Amino acid sequence: MVNRMDPNLSTPRPRRSRILWISVLAVLVIASASVLGAFAGGAAVYWAVARPVSAAGLQPAATIQTIASSRQGPTQTTETMTVNVESAITDAVAKVGPSVVTVVSNLQQQSGTGRSSQGSQADGSGVIVSADGYVVTNNHVVEGAQSLQVILADGTTLPAQLVGTDPFSDIAVLQVKGKLPAPATYGNSDTLKPGETAIAIGSPLGDFKNTVTVGVISGTGRSIDTGDGLTLENMIQTDAAINHGNSGGPLVNLDGQVIAINTLVVRGNAASGDVAEGLGFAIPSNTVKSVVDQIISKGSVVRPFLGVSWQWITPDIAQANGLSVQYGAFISRVASGGPAAKAGLQRGDIITAIDGQVLDDNHSFINVLLNYKPGDVISLTVARGDQNKQLSLTLAERPSS
């Protein structure tokens, strides 16, 4: 017999009933949890995205919050991801823009008698690169100036002193004193690649101060013939709009760093009628920094000196004058007592190579020479009449004036 009063025993029917109720209760608990979870998730989305907010509770317009879900086994986790969509260009301009200045060169025109007549003014751009108030601009912006001023981004006008120039790199350094914005920082121009964003800041035409234009790095390592025997080498090409007055202003990357100094723009070939757009060129920042550091520390850049006057020969000039060489430096004058005179160089000689480097369309005389420093001994290949001669020359330091 079975003792129904034994607490450790139960009849089959009541056991099935208890199991049924437990199962129903479990289902209700799980269903309630799912409803509450869905409600909480929906409320969170509504709270973060859909609900109106007061002015005091507005999130920055550049910040968007999104809800993402991920499953790990039977559980579900919710993560919040913040995406910053603020413009990198705006950030870069805000960072470097205050350090960009307008450079005003007060010139004096000369009358036929050599007296100063009515003055004139030329405007360019520049950028503050040190807390000591040093400003980088182009040499051609300040050339011939009787006095200089800079106009800060906030409109403040300050007198400026010329520290030094380097015509060969087209760099000049000014200094201003007063309450100044934070200086700009240099980027590494050696790492630039075509297609990178480039931002030009300057004062086109001198009137539209601190104008921002945007383009890309169109090319690197470009060479531009200035027309006076000097080729500007290793230039940065950009399609960011550059006009008169942008000279000396910075070309900036998305980190707000100066990667080059704008110096010229090519409009096309007037003789052929070709018109070009978007061909701007700038001096790479690594070159700028090297030149600026020398000007600040020494007042000038040390360049080699031969003591000659010369004219660059091209095939057209050679043909017109019946010369036996296609490229070279024609010596029109030799300074008495200079390095060239001591080496035996004569008027009418044509230098065709330096230390074995043949001078040609890609290797102009002055650019090859600038690879050397005062005190270096170089070998010159010289065409003299029908003969070629080898002359040894010790370079001197270029006089300051």
Side-chain angles (χ1 to χ4, degrees):
M1 286 180 71
V2 176
N3 186 354
R4 298 183 184 274
M5 300 299 293
D6 188 341
N8 295 318
L9 299 175
S10 61
T11 62
R13 186 176 185 83
R15 184 179 181 184
R16 287 196 300 270
S17 178
R18 181 178 297 175
I19 292 172
L20 179 61
W21 279 106
I22 291 173
S23 299
V24 172
L25 181 61
V27 170
L28 289 174
V29 170
I30 293 172
S32 298
S34 298
V35 172
L36 288 174
F39 177 78
V45 172
Y46 176 79
W47 187 265
V49 178
R51 75 177 183 90
V53 295
S54 65
L58 285 173
Q59 296 293 323
T63 300
I64 297 178
Q65 289 187 329
T66 58
I67 305 298
S69 297
S70 63
R71 291 185 179 272
Q72 297 179 355
T75 62
Q76 184 176 21
T77 61
T78 301
E79 298 177 353
T80 301
M81 179 178 63
T82 300
V83 180
N84 190 345
V85 296
E86 187 174 16
S87 169
I89 294 175
T90 302
D91 281 348
V93 173
K95 180 179 179 181
V96 73
S99 64
V100 179
V101 302
T102 302
V103 178
V104 180
S105 297
N106 298 305
L107 310 173
Q108 286 186 331
Q109 297 177 346
Q110 298 293 320
S111 67
T113 61
R115 287 186 169 184
S116 297
S117 60
Q118 182 179 2
S120 62
Q121 178 177 299
D123 293 335
S125 303
V127 58
I128 301 170
V129 293
S130 87
D132 295 323
Y134 290 110
V135 176
V136 177
T137 186
N138 284 145
N139 173 72
H140 75 260
V141 169
V142 302
E143 192 171 23
Q146 300 299 311
S147 63
L148 295 161
Q149 295 173 309
V150 300
I151 304 174
L152 303 182
D154 65 3
T156 302
T157 299
L158 299 172
Q161 296 296 321
L162 181 64
V163 178
T165 65
D166 180 44
F168 296 103
S169 62
D170 197 23
I171 290 294
V173 178
L174 316 179
Q175 187 174 26
V176 294
K177 297 184 182 298
K179 186 177 181 181
L180 303 174
T185 58
Y186 292 106
N188 184 1
S189 56
D190 288 345
T191 64
L192 294 177
K193 296 179 181 179
E196 291 185 39
T197 300
I199 308 166
I201 308 178
S203 301
L205 307 182
D207 296 322
F208 305 99
K209 294 177 173 50
N210 285 56
T211 293
V212 177
T213 55
V214 179
V216 297
I217 300 296
S218 303
T220 60
R222 303 301 200 200
S223 296
I224 303 295
D225 186 358
T226 63
D228 56 3
L230 174 66
T231 299
L232 294 176
E233 294 183 334
N234 197 33
M235 299 289 282
I236 305 299
Q237 180 186 341
T238 181
D239 67 345
I242 298 174
N243 293 281
H244 297 296
N246 276 109
S247 291
L251 194 66
V252 179
N253 62 17
L254 289 179
D255 289 327
Q257 298 171 323
V258 176
I259 53 175
I261 294 296
N262 299 314
T263 188
L264 60 88
V265 61
V266 175
R267 296 298 186 193
N269 190 327
S272 65
D274 290 338
V275 177
E277 296 292 341
L279 290 178
F281 296 87
I283 308 161
S285 59
N286 288 355
T287 299
V288 173
K289 187 176 186 305
S290 176
V291 170
V292 168
D293 287 348
Q294 289 189 62
I295 291 176
I296 292 175
S297 62
K298 302 176 182 178
S300 63
V301 178
V302 176
R303 300 292 190 186
F305 177 68
L306 270 72
V308 297
S309 296
W310 55 276
Q311 180 183 352
W312 180 240
I313 293 173
T314 63
D316 289 343
I317 294 176
Q319 182 178 7
N321 291 274
L323 301 177
S324 59
V325 301
Q326 297 296 300
Y327 293 95
F330 178 84
I331 305 304
S332 58
R333 185 181 70 86
V334 178
S336 177
K342 294 177 181 178
L345 206 62
Q346 299 177 7
R347 184 178 181 276
D349 286 348
I350 302 174
I351 300 174
T352 59
I354 299 176
D355 275 350
Q357 174 59 65
V358 176
L359 305 182
D360 55 28
D361 192 35
N362 296 317
H363 302 89
S364 68
F365 171 63
I366 190 64
N367 285 85
V368 174
L369 187 62
L370 290 178
N371 290 323
Y372 299 89
K373 62 182 184 297
D376 286 349
V377 179
I378 61 174
S379 175
L380 299 179
T381 302
V382 175
R384 182 178 292 171
D386 296 331
Q387 298 179 338
N388 285 327
K389 293 183 173 292
Q390 297 292 324
L391 302 178
S392 180
L393 183 147
T394 302
L395 295 169
E397 183 174 334
R398 179 173 294 277
S400 58
S401 60

